[in-house]
Amino acid sequence: MMRKTSVILLSAATGAALTLLVTQPRAMFMGSSARAATSDTYRQLNLFGDVFERVRSDYVEKPDDSKLVESAISGMLAGLDPHSSYMDAKSFRDMQVQTRGEFGGLGIEVTMEDGLIKVVSPIDDTPASKAGIMANDIITMLDDEQVQGLTLNQAVEKMRGPVNTKIRLKIIRKGLDNPIEVTLIRDNIRVRSVRAHVEADDIGYIRITTFNEQTTEGLKKEIANLQNQIGDKLKGFIIDLRNNPGGLLEEAVTVSDAFLERGEIVSTRGRNAEETQRRSAHPGDLTKGKPLIVLVNGGSASASEIVAGALQDHKRATLVGTRSFGKGSVQTIIPLGSGNGALRLTTARYYTPSGKSIQAKGIVPDIEVLQDVPDELKSRTDTRGEASLRGHLKSDGDEKTGSQSYVPPDAKDDKALKLADDLLHGIKASATAAPTAVTGDKASNDKTPANKAAN
């Protein structure tokens, strides 16, 4: 478990261990300047102790000591950068569930509607689907507790639980006069981070929504299924990373490796030269060299950018869409012991195979495609990007903020998807020679040479 929790959010277990090993002995050989700095640090810690005691003794109501300490830790980490933070024990457990991609539960995707829980869809071969729960069912009670008044997260937490435990649901279904009551036994549920379908009869479309521990296995399964379904007429693959916020470094590396035969995938660099790590591809392209189109937008961040950057730098894929988010840093999860939560600490920056950092810049697609956005959504369809976050790590060049992140709900209105289809069907848009902007029905070529690096 320790290994798994310390590779979350673009970190590396060996990097985390190395940091601990090299920083502790270093303090044994302090010069006069280091001793002076340490002395000043202890004076500041004494000041913190004085403030802590004053708050405990004089605040208008007796404060909770543990909450005071947690707030102080949270404030210290929040002051570093937008991605470093303190997680209490519950938040740490929730994060572990999210990154594992599996949990004890019922197997339903839900949303909140008018204060009640609405079923979006049951997941195949789960307790919910076997019990006949249907999309658009309204869940009104969980055991003997009314759902109304709970937040969505609270309701989801109550539906999750240890495998083989029971829960009763009361359901209202359109067309039925009386509510349905059903008892389910929780089972091990795996979150589908990879979904796929056949596009235009001869293209494999693969959507990756997050990078958890199930992602690479899910990708391999979907590639094999698509190859079997389409057969010899397979033109290529569309990998949709739009609005994918990222996840595990290891999964970003193995997903990239699935499409590459050789070469570097990503490197990470921290404060010390010893912390530099390089991850490289192994022989074996699962798609057997078929053309790839990768869709990105302003919501593609972190692990998504590692995959997009690796495939773009190696000229293995053509990137279509809008500039990505620009999160080029690595966070290591450092558990603090039983019941004490964990630190999410920024420990390194990452670099694409060409050696470029995308921090606060994002990855520029080979072909830019702007979607037609409904008037009522125009003020909410741009993602501000890493560069707009207060306290972000500074870039070594011009920073870029904001990029369109709207994806039309109906595939027939999706310009980026349509262009990807056209490219794979042989309509060449000179993506390898010059960046192209597509804002309407016609494409216009920019005379600037294509920049294959993520900058």
Side-chain angles (χ1 to χ4, degrees):
M1 181 61 68
M2 176 67 176
R3 183 191 69 80
K4 290 182 179 178
T5 56
S6 43
V7 297
I8 186 176
L9 296 176
L10 312 182
S11 64
T14 51
L18 181 60
T19 301
L20 294 174
L21 288 171
V22 298
T23 54
Q24 290 174 0
R26 191 170 290 149
M28 299 172 60
F29 305 99
M30 293 187 297
S32 58
S33 61
R35 284 194 294 271
T38 300
S39 176
D40 186 60
T41 299
Y42 279 118
R43 281 197 297 271
Q44 295 294 322
L45 289 174
N46 286 334
L47 173 62
F48 171 77
D50 292 342
V51 172
F52 180 75
E53 288 301 328
R54 180 57 61 93
V55 171
R56 292 183 70 215
S57 62
D58 293 352
Y59 186 63
V60 62
E61 296 176 354
K62 180 175 174 56
D64 183 322
D65 289 356
S66 63
K67 293 294 184 184
L68 289 178
V69 173
E70 285 185 6
S71 296
I73 295 172
S74 295
M76 174 173 60
L77 291 165
L80 296 174
D81 69 85
H83 307 295
S84 293
S85 64
Y86 169 71
M87 294 180 287
D88 61 22
K90 181 182 180 305
S91 298
F92 184 31
R93 287 195 302 271
D94 290 345
M95 179 275 298
Q96 289 174 305
V97 168
Q98 180 181 349
T99 56
R100 279 198 305 268
E102 58 182 338
F103 52 86
L106 307 179
I108 45 177
E109 298 178 12
V110 295
T111 187
M112 181 71 79
E113 186 172 286
D114 298 327
L116 298 175
I117 300 299
K118 181 177 180 180
V119 176
V120 176
S121 66
I123 300 172
D124 291 342
D125 199 29
T126 63
S129 64
K130 292 174 182 178
I133 291 177
M134 301 170 61
N136 299 317
D137 280 352
I138 301 295
I139 300 173
T140 60
M141 293 191 71
L142 301 171
D143 285 330
D144 296 320
E145 185 172 1
Q146 293 280 352
V147 168
Q148 198 148 21
L150 298 178
T151 65
L152 180 60
N153 286 338
Q154 288 170 334
V156 168
E157 188 173 343
K158 288 182 179 297
M159 285 188 280
R160 290 180 180 175
V163 172
N164 294 325
T165 58
K166 294 181 179 179
I167 184 172
R168 289 195 324 278
L169 275 60
K170 185 173 283 188
I171 295 170
I172 295 175
R173 180 172 295 166
K174 187 176 181 180
L176 298 181
D177 295 332
N178 298 316
I180 303 168
E181 191 166 298
V182 59
T183 298
L184 303 178
I185 298 176
R186 296 180 178 92
D187 199 354
N188 191 47
I189 307 299
R190 288 194 170 194
V191 177
R192 284 185 63 189
S193 59
V194 182
R195 299 175 186 271
H197 66 259
V198 177
E199 180 78 19
D201 295 326
D202 55 5
I203 293 172
Y205 171 91
I206 300 174
R207 166 88 174 119
I208 302 177
T209 57
T210 189
F211 288 85
N212 60 34
E213 291 177 18
Q214 314 298 325
T215 300
T216 302
E217 287 307 311
L219 175 68
K220 291 177 180 178
K221 178 181 176 181
E222 296 297 354
I223 290 175
N225 287 342
L226 289 168
Q227 289 170 332
N228 288 334
Q229 289 180 60
I230 301 173
D232 294 339
K233 64 180 180 179
L234 177 63
K235 297 289 187 183
F237 292 87
I238 297 171
I239 311 300
D240 194 343
L241 299 177
R242 292 177 295 182
N243 295 328
N244 181 325
L248 298 169
L249 171 65
E250 186 62 31
E251 293 297 318
V253 170
T254 51
V255 165
S256 302
D257 197 357
F259 303 109
L260 295 171
E261 287 285 357
R262 64 183 66 83
E264 183 176 300
I265 293 172
V266 66
S267 63
T268 59
R269 306 174 200 173
R271 288 172 62 183
N272 307 304
E274 302 97 315
E275 295 171 9
T276 295
Q277 297 187 24
R278 298 184 184 278
R279 306 298 300 274
S280 297
H282 302 85
D285 177 354
L286 296 184
T287 67
K288 300 180 175 61
K290 290 290 185 181
L292 297 179
I293 306 294
V294 175
L295 304 182
V296 294
N297 67 5
S300 305
S302 203
S304 299
E305 294 175 291
I306 286 181
V307 174
L311 298 181
Q312 185 185 53
D313 277 10
H314 285 292
K315 297 181 173 60
R316 179 64 186 89
T318 298
L319 269 57
V320 173
T322 57
R323 187 178 59 251
S324 64
F325 188 85
K327 180 183 177 292
S329 61
V330 175
Q331 283 68 46
T332 300
I333 302 301
I334 306 171
L336 299 175
S338 179
N340 292 325
L343 301 182
R344 180 193 285 118
L345 190 65
T346 300
T347 54
R349 297 174 187 250
Y350 72 78
Y351 297 80
T352 68
S354 62
K356 299 295 180 66
S357 169
I358 58 92
Q359 172 62 20
K361 298 176 182 177
I363 294 177
V364 179
D366 300 300
I367 306 175
E368 182 184 48
V369 177
L370 296 176
Q371 304 281 3
D372 292 331
V373 182
D375 290 339
E376 65 273 16
L377 297 177
K378 284 185 176 177
S379 62
R380 293 181 284 141
T381 58
D382 282 2
T383 299
R384 298 178 64 192
E386 176 80 7
S388 66
L389 299 180
R390 180 177 296 178
H392 68 272
L393 297 178
K394 297 302 180 183
S395 168
D396 56 3
D398 291 338
E399 297 185 347
K400 304 291 184 181
T401 61
S403 174
Q404 189 185 77
S405 58
Y406 176 74
V407 178
D410 193 329
K412 68 180 177 58
D413 300 323
D414 190 339
K415 289 185 174 181
L417 180 60
K418 183 180 184 303
L419 179 61
D421 283 351
D422 288 345
L423 289 171
L424 290 175
H425 283 121
I427 302 175
K428 303 298 183 183
S430 62
T432 57
T436 305
V438 178
T439 57
D441 294 331
K442 297 181 179 180
S444 59
N445 289 329
D446 191 331
K447 299 303 182 182
T448 308
N451 186 351
K452 288 292 179 182
N455 60 17

